[in-house]
Amino acid sequence: KIIIKMLGAIIDSSNSLPVLIQAVSIIGNWVTSDIQRMPLTKSEREGFLWQLASFDFQRLPGVSSQALGDMMCCIVLSTYGYNPTIIQEFPFGLSKSINSNDI
């Protein structure tokens, strides 16, 4: 529970891009894992998804935070039924064109 609270606090308040990318990567692995292997409760999972979806990018430099934004979008979309392999290919999968059949 302490780790979950710390990751939530990092998402809410950190201005360090490397720290945020690492935290989002950990959270992404948790929220996109199979229900049987997920270390989160349903409310914790939903809380993290809400934090990712409502993240305030104003506190970070625009261009350098683009990768973080792309990563967050991939995580949120894959939890709602979009192709989860897009995260496994991140960030390289985002640079090639994705046709509508992949999503």
Side-chain angles (χ1 to χ4, degrees), residues 13-78:
S13 61
S14 179
N15 291 327
S16 170
L17 195 56
V19 170
L20 283 166
I21 287 174
Q22 189 62 39
V24 169
S25 177
I26 292 167
I27 292 167
N29 285 330
W30 287 349
V31 299
T32 59
S33 66
D34 293 334
I35 299 289
Q36 295 82 10
R37 297 184 311 160
M38 186 184 313
L40 304 172
T41 65
K42 183 178 178 181
S43 63
E44 290 167 340
R45 180 178 184 262
E46 290 173 358
F48 276 135
L49 287 172
W50 176 254
Q51 281 184 295
L52 296 179
S54 62
F55 186 81
D56 178 21
F57 282 94
Q58 296 298 323
R59 67 182 194 236
L60 299 172
V63 174
S64 61
S65 65
Q66 184 64 48
L68 178 64
D70 291 347
M71 180 189 249
M72 288 179 171
C73 288
C74 290
I75 292 167
V76 171
L77 288 173
S78 69

